[in-house]
Each structure stands twice: as structure tokens, then as C-alpha cells.
Amino acid sequence: MTEKNLKALSTLLIFFLLDATKPFAYSLATEFTFLGVVLVCLNYPLKVSLFLAAIFGYAKDLSCIDQTSFSLLEFSAIAILIHYFLRNFHRKAVKIMIFFGALIVHLTINNFYINKAGYLFSLLFLIHSSIIFLLINRLFTEWISNGIKNDNVI
Amino acid sequence: MFPFRSFIANLLVSFSNQRLIATQNSSKTIEELEKKNLILSLALKKNQNLAEENEKLRKALAFKEDKNIDLIGVEIASFDPSAWRRIAVVNAGKDKGLREGMFAIDSDGFLVGRIVDVKNSFARLMLVDDPEFNVAVYIGKDALGLLSGGLDFIKIQYIDAGDNVNLNDIVWFKVPLISYPIYIGRVRKINENKNGLFLDVDVKLFNRNPLLKKVFVLK
């Protein structure tokens, strides 16, 4: 496993632990694991991102009270769809559009899944997730590119 | 389908237990004092209720003889990773006598949630604002309704339109066999149902501490 892949794995692991321990309890309306999966899909090849999406989707299903494979299927489908769009669209803002698309899909299917749409919660989820994604996207891409630069030096 | 289903929860619970070992003795004393304090405050609330009203409710619900209240102090070890659910994993299970359907309160005696899944060393606690949470409650003195959790608002449905419900009325309920009133919140908004037969009420919870770590389960 390369250093870049290890970075993705450890990032997703930290995000999963953040979701499970919720240090801010329910004051933050976001899902770090989902944001991490989107982040990895936008920066890694299909094979790696599909593998990680499936692993963390499965881990999320294991920790949830509902005994379904909902997240496993959702995260894997999102990984495939993101790569499909990345391959076919090459505009500058495509990554932002993909992120918001994935966020809206995630919101919609979860609201349908619990059968109770929370409009205020959905709005909060959009705002919190967008702000956190902007922050982690910047930090994560810098971290990856630093690693690549160091590799080149060596 | 999920061979490792309990593994992650057990892992998180054991982390939480390791953290607790260092301060176990002092925390036990604190827990005992907290329990005593909580029992006293619940008793005080009980005495504040009118005797006549208690008698009426006891008759209406066919209450059996009062049981002595007993509490189990538990720590919240982790949460359901989904943002759409409000479920906490607590570090006690069958080993400490927890059973499905038991209610949990915070250190002020306000309702936190209900135990919905019990394993050997941990249990899942469904919080009041979970979309699937439901419990029959009283509003004010004698109105009855069904409280349902939700991500935006906590609502009480099926209140008879003729019942006397006012803003800021206290929402409370009674655990079967224990005659202590458990307070949940206050009436925040009253709407008339579309069909005009019932009232829909929004509730503001008393327990609004999002960083809650310790809860007490009513035995």
C-alpha cells in the first residue's frame, strides 16, 4: 500500500471515529465518513476509492441499529457515479458540482429511508457539510501533495 | 449478514471503560451521590403533584403498588454514525441488568430516552429526538397524547381537541409501576390538526445538553 493510499485510509478511519464518538454530539449536522468518501473519490482512482467506500460503508452499517446494507450500497454507488462524472465532464467547477450533487443525493435517500423529512435539519446538514468539506478538502489535498513532493525529493 | 456487528460497539465501549478505570473509585462515590440526589429530586417532584390528581391517575391507569425507585448509572460510549438517527451506545448491558424498554433520565431527572437493544456488555439508547421514538405522555394536568421524536421538532399528536392544553404546560409521563413523574419538556406551539379532531403540539425539551455523557436508567 502506497503512502498516498495509507493517508486516505487513515483519514477515513479518523472521520469514522468522529462519527461514532461525536465529540460535538448532535450540534454538528454532518457525516464525516460520507464527506471523507466523497473526498477520497474526488482525489483517488476508482479502484482505491471503491474499495475504501465499500469498507467504510460496511463499517457504518455494522455500527448502525438498522440491520441493512444501506451504506455499503450507497457509498459504493456514489464512488462509481463520481468517477463516471469525473471521466465525462472536465469543466473547472465539476468537482464542486459533484460534491453538491452527492450531498443532495445523500440527503434525499436518507430522508426517504427514515420516512420523515426534516427540512430544518436538511438545511443545516447542507450548510455544515459544505463548510466542513471546504475545510477538509483544502487540508487533505495539501497533505497529499506535500507527500508527493517529498517522495519526489527522495 | 454482519459477523462483526458487535465488534465495533464492543471496541468503543472497552475504550470508554479503559478511560474510566483510572478514576473508578472517586467516580463510584460521585455516581452514588448523584443517584441519591436524583432520587431525592424525583421524590420532590412527586410530592409537588396534587394528591387528588395522583389518586385519579392511579385509578385511571390501574397502577399497582408503588415500587421503590432504583437507578443504574451508565456512560455514553459512542453514537450511531448516521446523522439521521439519535441513538447512543451505553457501556452497560445485560451484565448490569439493563433490559429493552427501560427509560433513561439525566442528572436533573429529565427524560433522555429508552433502551431499545441490549447486548451482554453494551446497550443502545434511543434518544427522545430520534425520528422513531414514541411514548404516551401527559400534557399539563390531564391531557393525553403520543409524543414522537423528530430531527426538527418533537411533536405530540392525537390530543383531543377538547382537552385543555396551554403554552408552557409541562409534558411528562409515568413509568409503569413507578409513580414518579418524569418531566420531558414544555409546550412550545399548539396547532389544530387538519381534520379538527386533534391538536398537534410542538415540545421544547428540558434536556437540551448535546454533550451529555452520563445518564441514569430507571430499573
Side-chain angles (χ1 to χ4, degrees):
Chain A
M1 194 177 254
T2 64
E3 189 191 331
K4 198 183 169 193
N5 293 348
L6 264 176
K7 281 180 177 176
L9 181 70
S10 49
T11 306
L12 280 173
L13 199 63
I14 292 167
F15 285 173
F16 179 74
L17 284 174
L18 277 176
D19 273 343
T21 51
K22 291 200 195 303
F24 309 105
Y26 290 105
S27 25
L28 258 188
T30 190
E31 277 184 16
F32 286 97
T33 316
F34 167 75
L35 296 182
V37 166
V38 175
L39 193 64
V40 167
C41 291
L42 289 173
N43 292 289
Y44 284 75
L46 176 64
K47 238 191 226 175
V48 179
S49 39
L50 184 61
F51 176 71
L52 290 174
I55 294 254
F56 283 92
Y58 184 63
K60 195 184 158 201
D61 284 332
L62 288 180
S63 328
C64 284
I65 191 161
D66 309 311
Q67 298 192 356
T68 59
S69 303
F70 178 70
S71 300
L72 172 68
L73 294 172
E74 189 204 343
F75 287 2
S76 309
I78 279 177
I80 293 167
L81 281 173
I82 286 177
H83 279 276
Y84 170 79
F85 284 115
L86 281 176
R87 191 169 290 180
N88 291 292
F89 299 94
H90 303 284
R91 284 193 174 179
K92 242 185 176 180
V94 74
K95 284 191 173 181
I96 300 168
M97 304 281 271
I98 287 174
F99 165 68
F100 280 109
L103 202 61
I104 289 163
V105 168
H106 187 63
L107 257 172
T108 313
I109 56 177
N110 273 286
N111 277 335
F112 267 110
Y113 187 66
I114 60 158
N115 217 1
K116 228 180 201 181
Y119 300 108
L120 191 67
F121 171 79
S122 301
L123 185 69
L124 270 179
F125 188 88
L126 267 174
I127 296 168
H128 288 183
S129 300
S130 309
I131 294 167
I132 290 166
F133 187 80
L134 281 176
L135 190 72
I136 58 172
N137 183 39
R138 197 183 165 85
L139 292 172
F140 186 71
T141 43
E142 259 178 36
W143 190 35
I144 298 173
S145 55
N146 276 346
I148 291 166
K149 274 179 204 165
N150 289 342
D151 281 352
N152 290 342
V153 170
I154 290 162
Chain B
M1 193 165 187
F2 293 115
F4 310 111
R5 189 162 168 75
S6 302
F7 175 73
I8 293 175
N10 268 321
L11 198 69
L12 291 164
V13 168
S14 67
F15 271 132
S16 154
N17 285 341
Q18 288 296 322
R19 189 170 48 83
L20 286 174
I21 283 171
T23 53
Q24 212 167 27
N25 286 335
S26 56
S27 70
K28 264 191 176 175
T29 323
I30 294 168
E31 190 181 313
E32 283 306 316
L33 288 170
E34 278 179 333
K35 273 189 200 176
K36 278 182 189 168
N37 184 29
L38 199 48
I39 290 168
L40 284 172
S41 82
L42 286 172
L44 188 68
K45 279 176 194 165
K46 182 190 175 187
N47 291 335
Q48 284 166 354
N49 271 14
L50 296 168
E52 189 187 331
E53 188 195 322
N54 266 342
E55 198 56 44
K56 201 166 68 182
L57 289 169
R58 202 167 285 135
K59 273 181 194 166
L61 292 171
F63 273 170
K64 293 175 186 170
E65 210 171 300
D66 284 3
K67 269 190 172 180
N68 281 334
I69 196 163
D70 197 5
L71 301 164
I72 307 166
V74 294
E75 292 259 348
I76 291 178
S78 69
F79 293 89
D80 190 300
S82 169
W84 274 262
R85 299 306 303 269
R86 297 286 184 267
I87 290 174
V89 177
V90 296
N91 67 347
K94 285 177 188 163
D95 54 349
K96 287 200 179 165
L98 259 56
R99 288 193 313 275
E100 275 180 33
M102 284 177 160
F103 289 92
I105 54 176
D106 66 5
S107 53
D108 296 316
F110 302 134
L111 184 70
V112 173
R114 184 175 55 219
I115 301 287
V116 286
D117 182 30
V118 187
K119 301 283 182 244
N120 282 332
S121 58
F122 69 91
R124 287 191 169 85
L125 172 69
M126 185 182 279
L127 306 178
V128 183
D129 47 357
D130 185 86
E132 288 185 15
F133 185 90
N134 285 305
V135 69
V137 292
Y138 295 95
I139 308 106
K141 284 186 177 173
D142 49 12
L144 266 166
L146 181 72
L147 181 133
S148 308
L151 297 170
D152 287 349
F153 304 108
I154 289 113
K155 287 187 179 295
I156 306 175
Q157 294 165 301
Y158 311 117
I159 306 164
D160 197 321
D163 282 346
N164 182 25
V165 177
N166 301 305
L167 284 178
N168 291 324
D169 272 357
I170 287 181
V171 177
W172 56 285
F173 88 114
K174 286 196 175 195
V175 182
L177 304 180
I178 301 169
S179 65
Y180 292 82
I182 306 292
Y183 291 175
I184 301 172
R186 276 185 192 283
V187 172
R188 201 177 67 105
K189 199 176 166 190
I190 305 167
N191 305 309
E192 200 167 286
N193 197 291
K194 280 173 195 166
N195 58 26
L197 292 172
F198 301 111
L199 294 174
D200 284 345
V201 163
D202 284 0
V203 179
K204 188 181 178 189
L205 293 180
F206 283 135
N207 165 39
R208 294 302 295 175
N209 178 10
L211 299 170
L212 197 70
K213 280 287 160 201
K214 181 146 199 158
V215 294
F216 296 89
V217 180
L218 291 160
K219 241 179 164 179

